[in-house]
Each structure stands twice: as C-alpha cells, then as structure tokens.
Amino acid sequence: MENEPFLSLQSKPQLRPTVEDDHHGTPSEIQDNSQIQPPSKKHGSLHRCKTAPAMAVMRDRKPKTPQLPKPKSESSTIIRQAFFLLSLYLLLGVAIYSFNRDEFSGIETHPVVDALYFCIVTMCTIGYGDITPLTPATKIFACVFVLVGFGFIDILLSGVVSYVLELQENMILTGIHIKKSQQGFSARNYIVDVDKGRMRIRLKVGLALGVVVLCVGIGTLMLYFLENLDWIDSVYLSVMSVTTVGYGDRAFKTLPGRLFAGVWLLISTLAVARAFLYLAEARVDKRHRRIAKWVLHRDITIQDLLAADINNDGFISKSEYVIYKLKEMGKIGEKDILQICDQFSKLDTNNSGKLTLPQLLENRL
C-alpha cells in the first residue's frame, strides 16, 4: 500500500511528554524513554496523500463538450397540456356546432349542452347516432373532429389516467412502507410486495375490475333517475357507453342526462379502456415474472457456458454471467449491449479495456 501514488499511511509525530515539577513549577522532560509507549498504527486505515489532486478540483473541471441534460419527467407537463388542448378542442367544437345547428339532426335540449354532448360523444368514438351531421360541410367537420380527438386528445388524456393510477400506486406503497412496524404475514403482504416495492398482480386486477364496476354502476344509477329508464335499459346503456359500442337504440335525451354524460363519458370511457389495458399488462407481466423465476433457478449447462463466454477464454466471469441472465430474461438485447460497448470504446482511448481516472480527466480537458 505504500507504493500507491494517491494513498499513504498517516503517521502521527511522536511527542515527548512533559510533566510539571512540583517544587520548581517548570516542566521537565521525562528521561526514561523506555517507559514511553510509541503510538500504535492502525493497520488498514488509509489516508489521502497530500500530493494527490483534490476531488473538488476534479469536479470543477468543465468538460470539453457540454453534458446532455438528464431527461425530466413529463408527468407535470402532460396534465397541463391535456387540459389546455381539451379545452381548446371542446371550445372549437361547441362554436362550430352552435353556429350550424340547423345542419345537424337530433333532439335538441340546449344549444351549448347539445354541442358539448356531441363533441364528447364524437371524441370518445361512441356514436349513438342521436345527433348526426346533414350537410357535406358538417360531415367533413365531423371527420376531422373525430380524427383529431381520437388520435391526439385521447392519447394525452390516457397519459393523464396512467399518471393518476401510477401516482395512486406509489401513494399506497409509500403508506405501507411508513406503517410497516411488524414482521410476519398480514393482509398488506397478501396484496402488496413490500420487499420488491410493487403492487401484486391480484391487486392490479382487482383495481381494474373495480374501476369498471364503479363506472358502470354510477352510469346505471344516473340513467335510471335522469333518463327515466328501467334498470335493465340503464345497465344496458351504461355498458354500451363505457365500452364505446353505442348501438344507437338508446341515448341521452334530457338536458340533465346530457350534462351528466358530458362528464361521465369523458372519464368512464378512458378509465375503463385503461382498466382493460391494465388487465392485459398484468397477464403479460405475470408471464415475464414466471420466465424470470425459471431463468434464475435453473441449473447452468455446458451450452450456457459456451454461450455466455463472450471472451472465449474457457470460463464465465461475473459480468458475463449477469449479461447472459439478463438476455435470457429479455431485459436487454444484443443491440443494447453493442450500443453500450460502443460508448465504452469511445471512452477507452488507449484500448486498454478499462477506464482510469487519468483517462477521464484527459477526456474532460
């Protein structure tokens, strides 16, 4: 360790202890050096050499090329964009419908409410058929309106729904981590994997089904009381609405019903679509976890050794083993490894196969 250029053992200077003479009041040195115990050196305690460059100075060195900024989360901006574009989208649709009411067929209740109801039904791709365009101009407007709404606005709103669901999941996990005070089995351990920091699949499936039942239930109750439908027709119209089927034999015809539909359809169609997508993702995620468990617990074979031996040196290093297992799990691909190796080759200017502090300092100067 003494040969290391940046590390050295720190030795304290030996001080000659003094005692005070009781008769003369002046300090006198102890002459018996055999009674003085030399300070013991602690083996293994490393100290920085005074000639080594300060780490603060190395951090202050500016690179030749500016570093790329770390990508920021778009969760906060996507919500603002979604609400702004949704408001602009609905205002434009309401204005065009209001000035061309005679060119649409259907039961009228209130101009603004009917326009908002038509825009939301069109954007959610339900298509009840109770309000339809009559002239070529309004038909072209409807085509452009539904394409923009389905291809652009719905993507942003789906991102908002995904963000809200992920935020709710993080809040549940955070609360469980805070309240975790006892070990052993509990109801929380059955639905949440605290050690891995994720919700179990059974809870995700339960939440997805709960969202579907909640949206259908709210729609059924409001249709029963606002549209004066019986319970069968209320459930029927509610299911056909949240699944965006919309046969057209039932629709919202009253003013309170269309006001409710303007909010309920916008939320329930997106929430139910995301819930069914959650079910599909949970099924795929369960399959991936089963494959990962099989990869981690199976015995390595000779074929695995030959496939994992990247350097062709007859044995597998720890890094080669990790890369091979990650490839088997599907976490990374050959393309990802080649990109990382290419980036490493750019940093390794002398082709030594390793990165050192002098090389990093040279690249930054």
Side-chain angles (χ1 to χ4, degrees):
M1 192 61 67
E2 295 178 355
N3 297 326
E4 294 290 337
F6 297 111
L7 300 174
S8 64
L9 291 174
Q10 182 181 7
S11 59
K12 299 181 180 179
Q14 297 184 2
L15 300 178
R16 301 181 63 186
T18 59
V19 295
E20 186 177 351
D21 193 351
D22 295 337
H23 300 284
H24 301 285
T26 59
S28 60
E29 296 182 356
I30 297 179
Q31 301 297 330
D32 191 1
N33 293 331
S34 61
Q35 297 179 356
I36 301 177
Q37 298 293 333
S40 60
K41 297 181 180 180
K42 296 181 179 179
H43 297 283
S45 60
L46 303 178
H47 302 276
R48 188 175 185 81
C49 180
K50 295 181 179 180
T51 59
M55 297 302 296
V57 176
M58 286 188 265
R59 287 195 297 265
D60 292 339
R61 294 181 182 271
K62 296 182 179 180
K64 293 184 292 185
T65 58
Q67 296 289 334
L68 294 177
K70 183 179 180 180
K72 297 181 180 180
S73 176
E74 298 180 356
S75 301
S76 58
T77 59
I78 195 174
I79 296 178
R80 293 193 297 266
Q81 292 177 359
F83 281 105
F84 173 75
L85 293 175
L86 176 63
S87 302
L88 183 63
Y89 176 83
L90 293 178
L91 285 175
L92 180 62
V94 168
I96 294 177
Y97 181 91
S98 300
F99 287 106
N100 300 275
R101 292 174 55 192
D102 298 335
E103 299 179 4
F104 290 89
S105 65
I107 300 175
E108 296 183 357
T109 58
H110 188 276
V112 178
V113 176
D114 293 342
L116 185 64
Y117 170 74
F118 170 77
C119 293
I120 292 179
V121 169
T122 303
M123 185 185 67
C124 297
T125 67
I126 298 176
Y128 290 127
D130 52 343
I131 300 178
T132 56
L134 298 176
T135 62
T138 53
K139 289 180 180 180
I140 293 175
F141 159 72
C143 292
V144 176
F145 198 74
V146 71
L147 287 176
V148 173
F150 180 74
F152 188 64
I153 303 297
D154 285 354
I155 294 176
L156 290 175
L157 293 180
S158 299
V160 174
V161 174
S162 301
Y163 169 72
V164 172
L165 292 176
E166 291 175 359
L167 182 63
Q168 183 182 15
E169 180 179 355
N170 293 333
M171 291 177 63
I172 293 175
L173 292 175
T174 303
I176 290 178
H177 277 293
I178 295 176
K179 296 179 181 179
K180 184 182 179 183
S181 58
Q182 59 182 3
Q183 300 293 333
F185 178 80
S186 64
R188 292 197 303 268
N189 295 333
Y190 184 74
I191 61 177
V192 178
D193 193 342
V194 182
D195 297 331
K196 296 182 179 179
R198 58 174 175 82
M199 299 171 63
R200 297 187 185 275
I201 296 179
R202 59 178 69 94
L203 180 58
K204 291 183 178 181
V205 173
L207 289 176
L209 295 177
V211 169
V212 175
V213 173
L214 180 63
C215 292
V216 173
I218 293 176
T220 300
L221 291 175
M222 299 305 293
L223 284 169
Y224 179 80
F225 290 106
L226 296 179
E227 294 291 331
N228 296 323
L229 300 176
D230 56 23
W231 287 110
I232 300 297
D233 289 339
S234 298
V235 174
Y236 169 76
L237 180 56
S238 178
V239 173
M240 294 302 108
S241 299
V242 298
T243 55
T244 68
V245 176
Y247 286 126
D249 51 344
R250 293 287 186 273
F252 294 86
K253 298 179 180 180
T254 64
L255 178 61
R258 289 185 174 179
L259 282 173
F260 165 73
V263 179
W264 176 69
L265 290 176
L266 186 62
I267 297 175
S268 61
T269 52
L270 293 172
V272 170
R274 181 60 189 175
F276 283 116
L277 182 60
Y278 222 176
L279 292 174
E281 290 178 351
R283 183 177 179 86
V284 174
D285 189 39
K286 183 177 181 179
R287 180 175 178 273
H288 287 169
R289 292 177 189 173
R290 187 164 57 246
I291 293 176
K293 185 177 180 180
W294 173 79
V295 169
L296 290 176
H297 291 85
R298 74 179 186 89
D299 296 332
I300 189 169
T301 62
I302 299 177
Q303 289 78 9
D304 296 333
L305 188 143
L306 296 176
D309 188 9
I310 301 176
N311 298 327
N312 297 322
D313 48 13
F315 62 90
I316 301 177
S317 63
K318 186 177 181 180
S319 58
E320 291 175 336
Y321 182 80
V322 171
I323 292 175
Y324 181 71
K325 287 298 182 180
L326 289 176
K327 289 172 64 177
E328 271 195 320
M329 293 179 187
K331 303 291 185 181
I332 59 174
E334 193 69 28
K335 183 178 179 181
D336 302 324
I337 299 175
L338 292 177
Q339 290 178 349
I340 297 174
C341 292
D342 182 64
Q343 183 66 24
F344 183 86
S345 300
K346 293 179 181 179
L347 297 175
D348 186 14
T349 55
N350 56 1
N351 297 324
S352 61
K354 57 185 177 181
L355 297 179
T356 60
L357 180 60
Q359 283 181 321
L360 295 179
L361 293 177
E362 182 181 356
N363 293 330
R364 293 177 66 90
L365 293 178

